[in-house]
Amino acid sequence: MKEYKPFKEGKVREIYDAGDSLIMVATDRISAFDVILKNKVEKKGSILTQMSAFWFDFTKDIIDNHMLSTDTADMPEFFRQERFEGNSMKCRKLHMLPIECIVRGYITGSGWASYCENGTVCGIELPAGLEESEKLPEPIYTPSTKAEIGDHDENISYERSIEVLEKEYPGRGEELASAIRDTTIAIYRKCAEYALSKGIIIADTKLEFGLDDEGRLVLGDEMLTPDSSRFWPLEGYEKGKSQPSYDKQFVRNWLKANPDSDYKLPDEIIEKTVDKYLEAFEKLTGRKFDK
C-alpha cells in the first residue's frame, strides 16, 4: 500500500496529493486568533467535512465546486483507515486565488469595533445609528489577504483585491475580483435565507475560490462551517448586544476572558464546543450526525 504524507498543512486541515486529485482532511485541531490551540476537539473534523459537503451540494446551482467525494472507497487505499473516515474529501485540483472572500450580513466582532470607532467596516461607510449584532441593510463584501500560520489575515479594499489578482493573473484582475465578490454575496443570500428557516442566523462567513485548468472559477476549501462562519440561534436574537453562538466564537470568548490560558481549553469548554457544532450541523442538515 502506498503511503501518503500531506504536502500542505493549514491551521486545521491537511492536504494530500493523490495524483489526479487532492484529499483534504479536516483534523480535530481548532484555531482561534490565528493560533492553533493545544487541545483537539473530537468529531470536529468530521462535522466540518460533512457540513461543507452539504453546502457544496446546496449551492451547486450557483457555482461549480471542487468536491468529488467524501467516501474513502473513492480514494487511494491509504485513506481507507479509521482516522480518515468521515473527515476526508476528495477534491479537484485548483489554482487557489490569493483572496479570502468575506461577507457580512450583521455587524459584530471586529466589524462592530471598527464601526464604533469611525462608522466604517473595512473602509465601507455604513448608516449611522446601527446597534451591535444588527442586520445590515445589505450584505457587505470585505475581502482579505491569506496569511501563513501564525500571521494575521489583512483586510483589504475591493480595489486592492483587483490589484492583488491582477498581479497574479494579468488581464483578469477586475473580472475575477467582481466574479468572486458577486458569487460570494449570492451564496450568502441563498444560504442565510435557508439557515434562517432552520432557526440559525448566519452573521458572516468566509469563502475561497480557485481556477481549474481551463481558467474557470470554482468554489473550493471549506464552506459555511462553524470554523469559517458565525452562526447564531434565531430564538432569542436581539440586536444591541453580543449573541450566543454555535461557532468557535464560543472558544474565542473563553480565551478573551482567560488571557493566561496559554491557548489550552478546559475539558468542559471542549465538550460544549462539540455540542455546539453538533447542534448546528443537525439543525442545518436535518439529519443526525454519523461519523
Side-chain angles (χ1 to χ4, degrees), residues 68 80 187:
L68 294 173
R80 296 169 209 163
I187 288 171

Side-chain angles (χ1 to χ4, degrees), residues 6-44:
F7 74 90
K8 183 176 181 182
E9 292 193 54
K11 298 183 184 81
V12 299
R13 283 188 300 282
E14 298 170 348
I15 304 176
Y16 299 77
D17 190 338
D20 61 350
S21 62
L22 298 177
I23 309 299
M24 184 177 290
V25 179
T27 72
D28 288 340
R29 297 193 296 265
I30 187 167
S31 70
F33 307 115
D34 293 315
V35 175
I36 299 171
L37 274 60
K38 294 182 177 177
N39 311 79
K40 289 188 177 181
V41 179
E42 188 180 355
K43 302 179 187 174
K44 174 178 170 286

Side-chain angles (χ1 to χ4, degrees), residues 224-256:
L224 284 161
T225 70
D227 265 20
S228 64
S229 318
R230 281 190 177 93
F231 294 154
W232 299 335
L234 176 60
E235 184 178 359
Y237 165 74
E238 185 181 347
K239 67 181 181 180
K241 60 181 184 180
S242 62
Q243 307 297 312
S245 75
Y246 289 109
D247 53 72
K248 67 179 182 180
Q249 189 61 39
F250 182 73
V251 171
R252 293 189 193 102
N253 290 344
W254 187 88
L255 289 170
K256 281 182 180 178

